[in-house]
Amino acid sequence: MNTAVISVSSAWNYLKQNLNLDGKYQELDRNEVDACAEFIANHNLVDFSKELVWQKLYNDTRNRIIPNFWSGFEGTKNENSGYESYREAAKILSTDIQRLEHYFSLLDRLSGNAVPKSFDQYQAHLSAILLSQIPPKFESCVNFFYTKAFRAFMSLEKRNFNFDGDESGDVITHCSGCDQEIDQCECNVILDNCHSTNKALAELGILEKLSVGMIHTLILTQIQTHVQDSCVGNFASSQIEMLEKWLQNIIFRWLGIVYGEDYIQQDQVRKNFTQFLYHAYTHARIEQLFEIIIGYPESFPSVKDLQECLSRTQLKPILAQSLKTTLEARLLHQGATTEDILIAYVSAIRAFSVLDPTGVLLDVACDPIKQYLRLRGDTVRHIIHSLTDSSGELGGELELGRTGTAILDEESVAAVGDTETSTDWENWVPAPSDADPSKLWTGKKPGDIVPMLVNIYGSKSLFVKEYRKLLSDRLLLNLHFDTEEEIRNLEFLKIRFGENELHNCEVMLKDVADSKRINSHLQSVVHKPEFPILAMIISAQYWDQLKDKPMKLPIKIINQLEQYNQNYKTVKTSRSLHWVPQSGSVELELEFDNNRSVSFTVPPDLAAIISHFEDKEQWDLEELSQEMELPMSHLRRRVHVWQTHGVLQEISTDRFKVDENGPQFTGHKILLETLAKMEEEEEDDEEEDNDRKSEEDGLQVYWSYVVGMLTNLESLPVERIHQMLKMFTMQGSSGAECTLQQLKISLIQNYLDKLHFENIIPLDDGTHFCVLHFCLVMCDSELFFAVV
């Protein structure tokens, strides 16, 4: 019994001394390992000794090695200190664990492992302890370390690629990687330190576990930054291929330096970073999509890149929503002209025909444009004008339908917007997965712009009507009867809209040809007018309503027109002409006292005005207005045109005469467009006046009720008056509905004085309405009206 105790005691003392089980740290050498292994085996202490050794390793790791490693990060303040802290801590950790190498050899011998396994088991324990004790500053240190290393790597790559010159060609003298002069560059040293640190941590099996998340974040940030820098303002060249090469040559090489070549050869790793590149590029282009659309077709390479990326990502809904928001903020407002909005819409149709041939994205993203254009009164006019103007944005679109394009009927127009089911069942295709389920899918694809524009209103009748009006205006201003371009446009439109719809337009062009023939024939008659007259003789029932506003022409012009009419009767027996003096154009040559002459092409009313100054040197506007039977407001605008061009001058208030010096320019000037805009403004003013008058007439219906209420109830708040009107009078079909605000304005501003003069509401002291005086004195917040 005593001998056994002595044997165990001796064995324990031996193991404690040689394996340093007493807590004192001492590195084992090879001979000690062999001696311990032999002693343990001879005394049958293998399992006991393995447990003791593992306990010692775990205690040393937890109590000494790990605290030493984490203590190196406590003094981190900036990038340089963080870089050094991480490098030194990794070096200390590697050194401490290397001193445990013979313990792992001993464990492998005791376990009979032909292949070392003890260190792998220890690595798992080391990783678990490290990850459970990460201090707050560790993440920033890792970020500092690899950011500095990556910047050094990029600096060297850029310098080698540019042959020591920057993008402008200047020689680089300062290194952006290490912030040192070129001759003192430390980038290679930084990369060597990075490599040795990564190697040491990789040998311990903790490199990826400690840094992979932060390194990936750094790489993703670099990818996103590079994509943004590459895409800014650059739409005319493809970027995807260049970005993929950059990813291969820079990012994957950098990851190889950090983790080794085996890491970047993993398909999933390469796939993840490539996918993020596509996502970053797509997001960058989505932010610039408005500029890309406006710049199309110059931006075609960017559209093709975006199409490729969209096919690899799931970002179509984000693109559609982002573009809708951008369009509403930057385009769909009162500050943008209808022409600009149409140009943007047409560019969007062209771009999306490449970006998404299914038409789903165009339908979703550009639907707000269609809705907004539908609310603008001049949309149809701008579309027709642009389609029939060879120099316009849509000048060539009609020709695209010359061959192989079906006539647009109401069904085909509606099918573009997915509002009806297509009857072409033989060519039916299923709806794309991202199509709007609330709309019927017809399989129509964007490409032909004309049907897309017609679909804004869902009907072609508005466009045909507007074209007739536009054609009428153009032909009436055509002094030379040249209709070649108009005939060409009409033929293209007949292919699009059908011959029946455009029959009136054919008659209008025939009238022009007949007028040209008749005018040529009348040049040979005996009794010619004193000045050349070329009449546009039209079939009134086929033309749009002409501007037949009353205007009295000078007597000499009336006589000449009558002479032309008599000559016309010799050609067309039993027919007579009815002149429309407000339509057409006149070529004038004005001679001034200084022997200067200037020619103009103007509407008849301007010519009539200046003709009156041949008979009389000075005219008052009121007198001239009576002479020409023109409203003062209209006459004043037209006289102002002559005044701004230096033909007339105002010598006193509303009194004008010919400016003896004449205009400052020479040559010929056409003023038809100026007057066309002026007439549009006058028409708008007339519409506003008519609307205002209609509103006042509608409000007048309620006055008998208001007076009856105030007579019986003495005084009422305006809100109560409005409620009673709604209850008893606004339910019927007669009269306009009166809002509360309209009632307030009418009572206060427009009608109290009218009622006073009609002896309905008298004044109290000659200066105030009694009702207003009562309101101001008695009621601060509520408005009352009363009959006194």
Side-chain angles (χ1 to χ4, degrees), residues 390-402:
S390 58
S391 61
E393 179 71 18
L394 304 177
E397 290 300 324
L398 287 178
E399 299 185 27
L400 296 179
R402 180 167 46 186

Side-chain angles (χ1 to χ4, degrees), residues 349-360:
I349 295 174
R350 291 169 175 166
F352 275 91
S353 66
V354 176
L355 185 62
D356 178 39
T358 65
V360 174

Side-chain angles (χ1 to χ4, degrees), residues 51-69:
E51 184 176 353
L52 289 176
V53 173
W54 277 117
Q55 189 64 36
K56 171 185 172 50
L57 293 177
Y58 292 159
N59 289 335
D60 283 352
T61 300
R62 185 177 297 274
N63 299 324
R64 183 178 56 83
I65 296 176
I66 299 299
N68 286 343
F69 177 71

